[in-house]
Amino acid sequence: MPTMKNQIYKAVVSFSSGISSWAAAKRYAENNGVDGMVLLFADTRVEDEDNYRFLHESAENIGAPLVIIADGRTPWEVMKDVKLIGNNRFDPCSKILKRELLKSWNLKHCDKDTALILGITWDEEHRITRVQERNPEWNYIAPLCDKPWMSKKDTLNWAKSEGIEPPRMYDMGFSHANCGGFCIKAGQASFKLLLKNFPERYAMNEAAEEEMRGIVGDHSVMKCRRGGVSKPLTMKTFRLRVEAEEAIDETDIGGCTCALPM
C-alpha cells in the first residue's frame, strides 16, 4: 500500500515477518486500536517463501495497513558493493537493507509522539532500554516487555489460535525466521539447521561467500575458535565438517537484531 506524502502515523511497527513483531503489533492493536497504525516491512529479498505468506496473513489479522519498502538489493549484493563479508561484528546488509531504510521512512512519516513498535520480548528487555537510551528523540516501545509476559511458544500458539500458521522455520528449529535462515550474525548451530533444511539455499550462500573471498581475501561469515584462536570458518569448510559428522558448537545460535536502531 502506498503512503501519502508526509503523512504522520500514530504507530509504526517494525514488521519483520517473524512471530514476535506480529505479537507486538497485535498486543498494541488490542490495547490502542489500529487507527493511524501501519505495519512497516523492509524486504531483504531473501526471506523464506512461507514468511511472505505469513506476512500478509498476519497483517490482515491485525487489520492495519501493510507497507513494504526495499532497497532492491539482497544481503550478498550489498556486501559485494561495499566489498565486505559481514559477520557478527560488521553488518553492512543490516545497516543498509534494514536500519537506514527504516530510519529514512520514519523521518518522513513519524514525529516525536509516534509509537515506534519493536518485537522485543521481555527476556531481552535490555535491548529496548538500549534503543531508548540511544534514541531519546523517538518514542520506541516494546509491548511484549509488558505483563503478562509471553514465551516464544506462547506467541506461536497465540497466532495459531487466531487461525494463522506461524512461519514454518520455527518448526524446523530456527530461533528466528528472518533472511531465509541465513544471517551474518547466526552461529554454527543455525548454519547447521540451514544446511539440513535448505541445502540448496545453503549452497547458494556458500557460493556467494566463495565469490566474495575471491574479492576480499580470507574472510568469512563464521568464525572457528578451536584451540582458543579465532580464525575464519568458511561455509564450505563448515559444510564438510558437518557432512563428516565432526563436532560443531551446538550452543552457538547467534542472534538477529538487524532492524533495531543503533
Side-chain angles (χ1 to χ4, degrees), residues 150-160:
M150 303 181 73
S151 66
K152 177 66 72 64
K153 183 178 180 180
D154 291 333
T155 57
L156 293 169
N157 287 337
W158 186 13
K160 291 177 180 178

Side-chain angles (χ1 to χ4, degrees), residues 30-150:
E30 288 187 343
N31 293 331
N32 301 277
V34 296
D35 180 47
M37 180 181 183
V38 68
L39 310 172
L40 184 61
F41 174 63
D43 193 357
T44 63
R45 307 296 201 201
V46 294
E47 304 297 342
D48 183 66
E49 52 265 34
D50 194 53
N51 273 55
Y52 292 107
R53 184 270 312 164
F54 178 76
L55 177 73
H56 290 279
E57 290 183 4
S58 60
E60 183 177 354
N61 169 264
I62 292 168
L66 172 65
V67 173
I68 300 176
I69 57 177
D71 172 272
R73 289 174 289 177
T74 67
W76 281 112
E77 287 171 341
V78 167
M79 288 187 276
K80 188 173 183 179
D81 287 344
V82 302
K83 296 181 173 56
L84 173 69
I85 296 178
N87 53 44
N88 62 359
R89 293 183 59 200
F90 304 103
D91 59 349
C93 49
S94 302
K95 176 183 177 183
I96 294 171
L97 301 183
K98 289 287 188 177
R99 293 195 299 273
E100 289 185 349
L101 200 62
L102 292 167
K103 181 179 180 180
S104 177
W105 194 93
N106 287 343
L107 285 170
K108 297 176 182 178
H109 298 286
C110 305
D111 61 22
K112 63 181 180 61
D113 295 320
T114 302
L116 299 177
I117 301 163
L118 301 175
I120 296 174
T121 52
W122 63 272
D123 53 339
E124 295 182 319
E125 189 172 4
H126 62 282
R127 287 182 169 174
I128 186 62
T129 300
R130 184 166 63 241
V131 168
Q132 291 167 339
E133 289 175 347
R134 292 179 177 179
N135 302 273
E137 71 278 16
W138 293 104
N139 181 28
Y140 282 104
I141 64 172
L144 295 181
C145 287
D146 298 333
K147 294 181 179 179
W149 292 333
M150 303 181 73

Side-chain angles (χ1 to χ4, degrees), residues 172-217:
M172 296 175 181
F174 289 93
S175 60
H176 66 79
N178 302 123
C179 286
F182 171 84
C183 177
I184 58 172
K185 296 182 180 181
Q188 294 185 24
S190 295
F191 278 104
K192 185 177 179 181
L193 282 173
L194 179 63
L195 179 60
K196 173 186 176 182
N197 291 286
F198 303 108
E200 293 182 358
R201 192 175 298 172
Y202 188 100
M204 179 190 68
N205 285 289
E206 178 184 317
E209 184 182 68
E210 289 297 305
E211 180 184 0
M212 278 292 295
R213 284 171 56 79
I215 299 172
V216 302

